[in-house]
Amino acid sequence: MKKLFHFLKTHKAITVIIVLVILVGGYFLLKPVFSKSSTPNYITAKVERTDLINSISVTGQTTAQNKVTLTPKVSGEVTYINLANGKAVKKGEILLKIKDDDARNAVRDAQITLDNAKRDLSKMEGLATNEGSIESIKAKRQKDLTIAYQKAVDGLPAIFTSTTPNIITSLYDLLFQNDLSANDDNVDYYGKSLVLYNKSALQYSEATRKAYDLAKSSYDIAAANYKSNNLTYYSNTQDIEQAVNLTYEALKNINDAVRAALNIVHLYKDSMTEMKLQYPSLVDDQDKILTSYFNITSDLFKQIDTIKNNIQTAKENLINADFDLSDQQTAVDKAERNLKTALDKLADYTLTAPFDGILGNVAEDIHVGDNVSPSTNLATLISQQYMIDISLTETDAAQVEIGQKANITFDALDNVILTGRVVDMDVVGTVSQGVVSYGAKVLLDKMDERIKPGMSATVEIIVATKPNVLAISRVALKNQNNKYFVRVLKSDGTVEMRPVEIGLETDSKVEIVSGLTEGESIIIGTVSTSTSGTNLLRSNNLYQRNTGGSASGNIPQMRMPGGF
């Protein structure tokens, strides 16, 4: 070492050269170590079309879709039994029968009642048989009404023949001629003769006069109507009814007028006899005539009253025909309900499988001849189709709908992936320790014999799908003031900050509604390589920050260092 220092001290030129070499070499050797400059390399991906699927993943437990304890619906003696542990049964298969003689008799009686009610209804509606036709009740009652009108047409002429007009004329002569007194007509004579003995006698006379005037007036109206219409069987029913009603009123008034005249004559005769006074023999003649007229008009009034009532009754019966038909239809409906009730009760004596499944917990001490009741547990039926009971958070529940498809895996079964669908979901959530959850059920589309009730499962529910849409990786997406943009690497090496409109988002991808075209290159990350050869990878997400600017404004292009 002493020799080296001596050599350097005696050879200064050589020493200077050596120092310069060391310094220059050290500079170039250590420069990469202390240099901070680096050249960024971008990691890019293409904008491409793909099918987007958005799903949520939850866990749950496997349960049988249906499970029921089989019990009889009625009490009685067992006549047939078809129960065994492990037995596979189909929906509707008979498992047990109970003696049902009384129930069958009830069905038979209900059937007979229904048949009778239907037969009566058919008769009322009209029925064609091999022996002939049965006219409907409505047709019969329409015919009865027609006959009633025809009888009215037949009966009216007899009323307007000489009998009634003669009574009107004779009654006038009897009341208003001066046969009993030269100074007064007959009706006034009767009243004035008795006024000293009976203060109401004049009122009798006045009432008789008014009764006759009303009878004459109503008769004239009825007769004029009858003659003007010339009624026949084919006349309008309203014209026939009007003629009948006018005739009815006329005959009633005529009969009342005759009765009033007869009353005043009898009052006169009784008063004279009571006072032992003589009266003209003509009074007895008038009494006989009025009595005859009263009998005649009473008979005529009964005839027209019968005609009028027959028409009214026939009209009401025709109207009631619809009600009678309705009542009979009600009777048929009631009989059908009673038959159905009887059949339902008969069905209760036969126990059938409510769904496909496997029998278990069979009561082996039940045999034919034993008595059972609704409290007897016969067996348990478990369906062979399974569901997954799951619990959803508020956020997940807002996305899940009945009918959505799902993929199911099982913790205990490797490489088993089954499909299913959401078949039920709670409407009201359950709150536990301040957390709201919603129960739901996913039904498996098909069965796998390896699946057992109680197994843990993971359910991936597909909540949204969009086929063949433009999509990019989520890491390429940036956000500024709730607006989105991505960095596009252009063909000349420059970077463009481009605004985009997004659609469906999944865990890894996002739909691009507008702003990008298929095949464009977007930046999803950066690899910075220092001159020392050190690689520094920066994810695109590290640069996502809110700069306060607008993503849709003018964003300057950036050129990579080195022209890359």
Side-chain angles (χ1 to χ4, degrees), residues 55-61 388-393 396-397 400 407-409 440 442 457-461:
S55 62
I56 61 173
S57 182
V58 293
T59 59
Q61 297 292 320
I388 311 297
D389 287 336
I390 59 176
S391 179
L392 302 172
T393 64
D396 290 344
V400 174
N407 296 317
I408 302 103
T409 58
V442 176
T458 300
V459 180
E460 182 184 10
I461 302 173

Side-chain angles (χ1 to χ4, degrees), residues 341-451:
T341 299
L343 288 171
D344 290 343
K345 289 183 178 179
L346 176 61
D348 290 343
Y349 286 79
T350 301
L351 176 64
T352 60
F355 50 82
D356 295 354
I358 303 295
L359 292 173
N361 298 328
V362 173
E364 298 179 353
D365 58 340
I366 302 297
H367 306 284
V368 172
D370 292 341
N371 287 319
V372 293
S373 69
S375 62
T376 305
N377 292 332
L378 299 173
T380 300
L381 179 62
I382 302 175
S383 68
Q384 292 180 282
Q385 193 169 19
Y386 290 146
M387 294 190 301
I388 311 297
D389 287 336
I390 59 176
S391 179
L392 302 172
T393 64
E394 289 182 87
T395 303
D396 290 344
Q399 303 178 70
V400 174
E401 297 178 357
I402 291 177
Q404 288 176 335
K405 295 181 180 180
N407 296 317
I408 302 103
T409 58
F410 299 87
D411 295 353
L413 302 174
D414 294 335
N415 301 322
V416 174
I417 302 176
L418 298 180
T419 60
R421 66 187 188 278
V422 180
V423 295
D424 188 31
M425 187 169 68
D426 292 345
V427 177
V428 179
T430 301
V431 181
S432 177
Q433 296 181 348
V435 178
V436 180
S437 61
Y438 294 81
K441 297 181 183 294
V442 176
L443 179 66
L444 299 182
D445 291 332
K446 64 178 182 179
M447 272 302 300
D448 188 307
E449 293 181 354
R450 292 170 292 176
I451 298 174

